[in-house]
């Protein structure tokens, strides 16, 4: 799927590119979850009235965004990746192989991977174990045959398991597997811990992290609005997306409790909600000076991610002050990511 593309203005004027030729705007690819936040910053950036060319923000999914970002350095390649998970070491190595050079990792805030249902839905309340047994392809190492929620937990209603979610290129899907499926697997299957800790990592991944593809999990692509629409059409279905989409659609949807905890600003900010996760920008250091306005764009981001800033109105959960200060320092001093921190 090509993904959403937004041009927040049509002003055209010359920019020096990374290879010394003319002329282009700031380019951002990546996460559909971070997309609305970066789009809001891009709009504010143009509205400053300083003659900035309009950034181009494309929602490709985190994985696809990293792939494009790491293809090279220069005018034809993106400057920034929106990411709803941390960069993998394999992705960094691909960047290095293609001569991208040093990269800045900037946490912009926090988000929750929300499970949601229609306000006309059955008012589900689930545990991580319930979700794992319903959606894992091979729970406890065996093919998943569950058809209804009652099949995985007798206390749940006998309605078909239908969950709309993001594709395999999505950082949200990766984070869902890590933050929800993995603890559910460990709760349901004691043997899993030994596999994870070195016994058989491939078997662990197959049994604990792989989502089923036989119908109950429905890939809705990178446009999270399609998940919202799907929930309106099927009140018995659940959806998986970033908290900001739940916040935007609170008149139609509500969050599903996991382990008794509802996804709210407070529970995500304090990381009590099981699906809490950081959100990032990754920036090519070599592009900071070569692409006019890029440093200003990042500085504007730091102004808008404050707890009372504009991005909170769009559903971003503000990061703690220590995290915001560290991210600000990374931008000001162009502190490169240490690849030894990556997995």
């Amino acid at each position: 799927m090509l993904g959403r593309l937004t041009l927040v203005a049509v002003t055209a004027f010359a920019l020096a590119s990374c290879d010394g030729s003319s002329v282009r705007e700031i380019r951002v690819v990546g996460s559909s979850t971070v997309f609305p936040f970066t789009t809001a910053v891009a709009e504010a950036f143009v509205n400053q009235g300083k003659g900035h060319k309009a950034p181009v923000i494309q929602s490709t999914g985190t994985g696809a965004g990293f792939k494009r970002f790491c293809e090279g350095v220069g005018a034809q390649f993106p400057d920034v990746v929106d990411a709803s998970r941390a960069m993998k070491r394999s992705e960094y190595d691909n960047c290095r192989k293609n001569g991208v050079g040093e990269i800045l990792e900037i946490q912009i805030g926090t988000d929750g991977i929300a499970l949601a249902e229609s306000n006309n839905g059955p008012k589900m309340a689930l545990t991580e174990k319930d979700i794992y047994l319903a959606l894992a392809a091979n729970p406890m190492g065996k093919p998943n045959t569950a058809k209804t929620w009652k099949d995985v937990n007798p206390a749940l209603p006998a309605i078909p398991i239908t969950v709309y979610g993001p594709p395999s290129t999505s950082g949200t899907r990766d984070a869902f597997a890590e933050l929800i499926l993995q603890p559910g697997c460990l709760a349901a299957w004691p043997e899993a811990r030994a596999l994870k800790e070195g016994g058989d990592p491939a078997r662990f991944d197959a049994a604990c992290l792989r989502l089923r593809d036989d119908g109950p999990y429905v890939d809705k692509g990178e446009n999270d609005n399609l998940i919202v629409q799907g929930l309106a059409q099927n009140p018995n279905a659940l959806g998986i997306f970033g908290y900001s989409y739940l916040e935007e659609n609170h008149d139609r949807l509500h969050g599903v409790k996991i382990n008794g905890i509802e996804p709210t600003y407070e529970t995500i900010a304090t990381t009590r909600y099981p699906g809490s996760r950081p959100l990032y920008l990754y920036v090519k250091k070599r592009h900071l000076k070569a692409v006019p306005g890029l440093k200003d764009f990042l500085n504007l981001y730091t102004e808008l991610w404050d707890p009372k800033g504009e991005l909170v109105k769009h559903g971003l959960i503000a990061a703690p002050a220590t995290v915001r200060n560290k991210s600000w320092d990374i931008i000001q001093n162009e502190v490169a990511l240490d690849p030894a921190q990556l997995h």
Side-chain angles (χ1 to χ4, degrees):
M1 182 176 179
L2 181 59
R4 290 172 291 164
L5 181 68
T6 184
L7 293 171
V8 295
V10 294
T11 308
F13 58 89
L15 291 178
S17 71
C18 299
D19 58 6
S21 62
S22 60
V23 270
R24 73 157 181 79
E25 64 291 299
I26 297 167
R27 292 180 183 171
V28 185
V29 295
S31 166
S32 63
T33 300
V34 183
F35 175 87
F37 309 135
T38 300
T39 298
V41 176
E43 291 171 348
F45 183 69
V46 171
N47 290 337
Q48 285 181 326
K50 297 180 180 180
H52 294 306
K53 187 162 181 145
V56 175
I57 321 297
Q58 188 170 10
S59 174
T60 63
T62 298
F66 277 130
K67 183 177 180 180
R68 291 173 60 179
F69 177 82
C70 289
E71 287 175 348
V73 65
Q76 68 269 44
F77 302 109
D79 312 303
V80 180
V81 176
D82 290 335
S84 55
R85 60 162 171 81
M87 176 179 266
K88 298 176 182 178
R89 181 57 189 260
S90 59
E91 291 165 333
Y92 183 91
D93 290 344
N94 188 42
C95 273
R96 183 173 58 183
K97 180 184 71 175
N98 292 326
V100 167
E102 293 184 317
I103 297 168
L104 277 56
E105 179 186 72
I106 303 160
Q107 183 178 340
I108 65 164
T110 306
D111 184 39
I113 303 170
L115 259 68
E117 65 178 8
S118 165
N119 286 338
N120 298 320
K123 307 295 188 291
M124 297 283 278
L126 302 170
T127 65
E128 293 162 329
K129 180 179 175 180
D130 295 333
I131 298 165
Y132 166 71
L133 293 175
L135 294 182
N138 301 290
M140 297 180 288
K142 300 177 182 178
N144 201 331
T145 59
K147 301 297 184 184
T148 72
W149 288 102
K150 193 175 184 68
D151 292 338
V152 303
N153 183 340
L156 296 174
I159 58 176
I161 300 168
T162 303
V163 179
Y164 303 133
S168 59
T169 54
S170 170
T172 295
R173 179 159 161 169
D174 292 339
F176 175 76
E178 179 182 350
L179 298 175
I180 305 296
L181 289 187
Q182 180 171 249
C185 179
L186 294 172
W189 192 32
E191 183 181 341
R193 190 169 300 279
L195 297 177
K196 175 179 170 59
E197 293 173 355
D200 193 340
R203 187 180 172 206
F204 176 84
D205 289 352
C208 294
L209 303 181
R210 187 177 301 162
L211 282 164
R212 61 196 299 185
D213 58 5
D214 59 338
Y217 182 85
V218 182
D219 179 341
K220 282 289 189 178
E222 290 291 353
N223 187 343
D224 292 340
N225 287 315
L226 295 179
I227 299 176
V228 174
Q229 293 169 17
L231 296 179
Q233 295 164 4
N234 182 0
N236 284 333
L238 303 183
I240 300 170
F241 40 57
Y243 171 76
S244 64
Y245 285 87
L246 177 60
E247 179 74 10
E248 286 178 13
N249 294 279
H250 64 87
D251 56 329
R252 294 189 286 172
L253 307 176
H254 61 267
V256 172
K257 290 182 179 180
I258 301 178
N259 299 346
I261 301 171
E262 184 178 353
T264 66
Y265 186 101
E266 180 185 4
T267 62
I268 294 168
T270 57
T271 68
R272 288 190 293 122
Y273 181 69
S276 302
R277 57 167 175 178
L279 300 176
Y280 300 96
L281 301 179
Y282 289 85
V283 184
K284 291 172 182 168
K285 186 171 180 178
R286 290 173 63 184
H287 283 208
L288 283 171
K289 292 182 175 63
V291 179
L294 180 54
K295 188 75 169 282
D296 292 339
F297 179 77
L298 297 175
N299 284 334
L300 182 58
Y301 228 121
T302 71
E303 296 177 20
L304 301 183
W305 70 33
D306 185 85
K308 296 183 179 180
E310 184 66 26
L311 295 184
V312 170
K313 299 176 185 177
H314 289 266
L316 183 72
I317 310 296
T322 53
V323 173
R324 299 197 309 273
N325 291 339
K326 179 180 178 181
S327 293
W328 183 87
D329 182 69
I330 288 169
I331 293 169
Q332 302 313 312
N333 296 304
E334 300 181 11
V335 180
L337 167 67
D338 178 1
Q341 301 173 356
L342 303 178
H343 302 288

